[in-house]
Each structure stands twice: as structure tokens, then as C-alpha cells.
Amino acid sequence: MSGDAAYITNISAFLPNPPVANDDMERILGQVGERPSRARRMVLRSNQIRQRHYAIDPETLEPNYTNAEMTAIAVRQLADSHFNLAEIDCLACGTSIADQLMPSHAAMVHGELALPAMEIAATSGVCASGMAALKYAYMGVLAKQFKHAVATGSDLSSRMMNAGNFNGEYEARAAALESNPEIAFEKDFLRWMLSDGAGAMLVESKPRSEGLSLKINWLDILSYAGEMEACMYAGAEKNADGRLNGWQSFSPEARTENSIMAVKQDVKLLNEHIIHYTVEKPLQALQQKHALSAEDVDWFVPHYSSGFFRDKVLAGLQAIDLNIPQERWFTNLTHKGNTGAASMYIMLADLLNSGLLQPGQNILCYIPESGRFSTAFLYLTVV
């Protein structure tokens, strides 16, 4: 028998170490080759991010958190006078790249927490993986399978962006092409786009007795992989026909010389299709499905990866007659960075604690993912 509703009753966020300013990024991530990146300033000017966090000690330059450790810290922060972590009966964890291929990310987070037996689920993907974890928790509470479900979103991008991961390719390119020994732009520009963080949400069948909760009205996740080729990928090389050749097809030497494990993005494909496939097309379907209008949205919380896309998102909304004025938008991209699967958790934690929310207000959250063009929309009511 289905339950009546599910509520996000608490949200936490964890950002490792002090914030890193733009001019300190290359010192902490490391310089690839003999000269600083020529792409860095251009990318930062476009994405408008001024600071972010890395799970790297700023003094020793050694990693000081794993993805699982960051996520466990975010979960622990949910504990308060109203909730004991031992009550968790479901842990659903989403991330783009876990610390290891196996065991699952959820199992490793559960292990870090050292909590009693519970159901766990790990959701993969890119940015939308955090929303897939939330949907698992949400549906479980609705179905009365769980009383206290925790969903998490996290990403630790700095490990992949570290200069050491690109030295093999740099040396191979330098030997083959002395005039242009830089790593490819589709790899280099992401080094200045992504950062680290984790968030957690507690989902229950009733709102908190004190303070604000967020009722989940609906959460829809749509994939357009049946129509589109991969755009953002790691552990693979993209062939001329658009198909991916996975990391297991390469020798260890080829993986190193071509930075196969690095995160890459087809920038041309992204710019041409991201708004159509993650704003216009899905929202047209959801407008009909949920009778959604701009007047129904008090706060729009968009996870765009770069300030470059802000006006493009607005144009996409206007094109489908869902014109939500930018004064009703909430984002923390400039000072919290693009934390991938954790971004919506971190934004909603900030919004919930901002003092801006009032009971009865509605929040529309937008979480695109360029992996193979998926998008998630979450519609909440403040109670």
C-alpha cells in the first residue's frame, strides 16, 4: 500500500578544505607540461566561477579525503536532536566516479559510517546520478519500504584533474608533435570546470515538527541516449562514428599515453544540443504531464555547469512559454563551484538555510547531465 507523501526533512553539505581562488587552481591541481594552461583563463572567464573546493591539502598538495569519506561526513551532519543515524533504513548514493570500480560507492559510504545493516543502492551516471539516488529514497518512502531514507550526491573530480594523470599524454604528444605538445582542449577545459563536494538528504513520510521541510511533489528523470551520442565521458575514447571504445580495449600504455581515464567532453556537441535536450524538450513534456506553469514556480534552482549557460537556459524556458524571471533563480555556482552530482544537494542546503523560503512556496530544480543527454526535474513545496 502506497504512502501519502514524502518530505525532505533535512539537507547537509560538505565542501572539503578552504575555498580555492582562480589564481591558485593550477598550483593545487598541478601544471601539465612546461607552461601554464592557455585554456584556463578563457574557461574561467566564461564559467564565472570565482572559487571552489578540492579534497587536496593546500599545503602538502596531497589528497586528504576520498569520495566515500566526504559523503559519510555529509550523512553524519544530518544527525541532530530529532534524528539518530542508527535509524537510517536506506542509504542511496549517487556519484559520477566512485573511488573504485567495486565494491559500490554506497557500500563504501556505509562502511565509513559503520552503521547497522540497512538497504543500500548506488546510482551511476553523471550529475543526474544524485537525483536518481533521491528518487530511490523517495519511492521507497512512498511505498512504505523505508521510514528514514538517506540519499546522497557527491563528486571528487580533483583526483581525475590532477596533473599527474596527464603527464603520460603530454610526453607522448611532445615527442610526436613538438609544435603543440598541450593536452587536448576537451580534457584541459574540464580541469577548470569541476570541483569536489558532497551532500545528503533525509527523506521521511512526515515533515519535521519544527522548522521547514520540502515536500516532494514529483521527480522526473529523462534520458535521450536513444537519440544522442555520448558527450561527456571517462574511461573511454570516442570514435569517429560517435561510439565509445571503453578502457578495457586499450593496453595500459595506450591508456596512459591517451589519458583514456580522464574526463572528456565534446564541447561542440554540448553547445549545440544541451538546451534543447535538457530544457526545451523535457519541460514541454512535463508541462503537459504536471500542468506546470511559470506562475507555479516561486524559486527556480538550476544546476548549470557554467555561467555561460545562464542566459541560454532562460532563452530555452522562454521558448516553451515557461518564462521564470531570473530574480526568482537561486544558484551558488560562483562560490561553491560545479560539484556535479552533489550540486543540487549543496544548492538546496544553502537555499533551505537562507531565510528566503516561506511555507507554501514551490521550488523547481533543474539537473542536466551531458553524459549522453539526460535531465532531471524536481518539484518541491515548502512546508
Side-chain angles (χ1 to χ4, degrees):
M1 181 178 179
S2 296
D4 296 324
Y7 300 84
I8 299 169
T9 57
N10 199 2
I11 310 175
S12 67
F14 175 70
L15 292 157
N17 299 314
V20 176
N22 289 351
D23 290 342
D24 212 24
M25 294 175 73
E26 200 157 18
R27 180 185 75 84
I28 291 180
L29 292 179
Q31 180 177 300
V32 179
E34 298 175 358
R35 59 188 179 189
S37 167
R38 291 190 294 184
R40 184 178 70 88
R41 291 192 183 278
M42 177 186 70
V43 172
L44 290 169
R45 187 166 57 247
S46 178
N47 70 26
Q48 298 170 23
I49 300 172
R50 297 195 298 269
Q51 62 182 38
R52 75 288 295 146
H53 293 254
Y54 294 131
I56 299 172
D57 185 293
E59 301 301 325
T60 67
L61 303 183
E62 293 295 324
N64 58 358
Y65 295 95
T66 66
N67 191 335
E69 286 171 342
M70 289 196 308
T71 309
I73 291 170
V75 173
R76 289 191 192 102
Q77 290 176 352
L78 294 174
D80 58 21
S81 59
H82 300 280
F83 178 68
N84 188 309
L85 295 183
E87 297 178 88
I88 299 173
D89 48 10
C90 169
L91 178 66
C93 301
T95 191
S96 302
I97 301 176
D99 297 312
Q100 64 292 309
L101 293 177
M102 49 183 160
S104 78
H105 179 54
M108 299 305 289
V109 175
H110 186 197
E112 287 289 336
L113 293 167
L115 290 172
M118 65 178 71
E119 182 163 333
I120 63 170
T123 56
S124 63
V126 195
C127 298
S129 63
M131 290 299 100
L134 177 59
K135 188 153 191 179
Y136 191 97
Y138 162 51
M139 291 191 298
V141 169
L142 283 182
K144 296 189 176 180
Q145 293 292 302
F146 314 124
K147 292 183 178 180
H148 312 285
V150 169
T152 73
S154 65
D155 267 320
L156 194 156
S157 299
S158 61
R159 294 282 180 97
M160 299 293 286
M161 301 301 145
N162 187 275
N165 294 323
F166 300 93
N167 287 336
E169 178 181 0
Y170 173 81
E171 292 169 3
R173 285 180 63 88
L177 193 63
E178 292 185 9
S179 62
N180 184 26
E182 296 182 341
I183 60 172
F185 178 75
E186 68 267 17
K187 302 169 190 174
D188 191 28
F189 103 101
L190 284 172
R191 296 188 75 216
W192 320 116
M193 293 283 289
L194 306 173
S195 53
D196 302 340
M201 297 181 182
L202 175 61
V203 183
E204 301 177 288
S205 61
K206 296 179 181 178
R208 289 175 71 98
S209 58
E210 299 174 5
L212 300 179
S213 296
L214 303 175
K215 180 183 178 182
I216 303 175
N217 297 304
W218 47 264
L219 170 52
D220 285 27
I221 306 172
L222 296 167
S223 164
Y224 294 98
E227 302 175 32
M228 295 299 296
E229 65 187 61
C231 178
M232 188 176 186
Y233 51 97
E237 196 67 45
K238 194 173 184 179
N239 299 329
D241 62 1
R243 298 176 68 86
L244 293 185
N245 194 15
W247 64 274
Q248 295 179 88
S249 302
F250 295 87
S251 68
E253 293 77 17
R255 286 179 213 150
T256 299
E257 292 176 359
N258 295 282
S259 302
I260 296 297
M261 304 310 291
V263 181
K264 298 169 279 287
Q265 191 158 46
D266 186 326
V267 180
K268 183 174 183 293
L269 193 68
L270 176 78
N271 290 341
E272 288 179 356
H273 297 288
I274 191 70
I275 299 301
H276 176 67
Y277 276 105
T278 71
V279 179
E280 298 169 348
K281 190 167 184 175
L283 270 179
Q284 282 180 309
L286 296 178
Q287 280 176 291
Q288 295 181 359
K289 180 178 178 181
H290 300 293
L292 181 68
S293 70
E295 290 71 32
D296 299 323
V297 179
D298 298 288
W299 291 101
F300 179 55
V301 186
H303 164 55
Y304 45 78
S305 60
S306 165
F308 172 80
F309 289 110
R310 184 181 175 99
D311 289 341
K312 295 181 183 298
V313 171
L314 178 62
L317 293 173
Q318 292 171 335
I320 59 169
D321 195 28
L322 195 71
N323 185 11
I324 305 169
Q326 290 194 5
E327 57 265 25
R328 302 206 316 249
W329 293 25
F330 182 89
T331 179
N332 56 18
L333 178 70
T334 58
H335 54 286
K336 296 294 177 69
N338 174 9
T339 52
S343 290
M344 187 51 60
Y345 289 74
I346 294 169
M347 281 194 285
L348 284 176
D350 279 0
L351 180 57
L352 189 62
N353 294 317
S354 67
L356 296 170
L357 297 181
Q358 299 295 325
Q361 291 183 329
N362 295 318
I363 305 168
L364 180 65
C365 305
Y366 158 60
I367 309 93
E369 133 174 344
S370 62
R372 196 158 173 170
F373 293 97
S374 299
T375 190
F377 284 93
L378 170 65
Y379 189 58
L380 306 164
T381 297
V382 183
V383 297

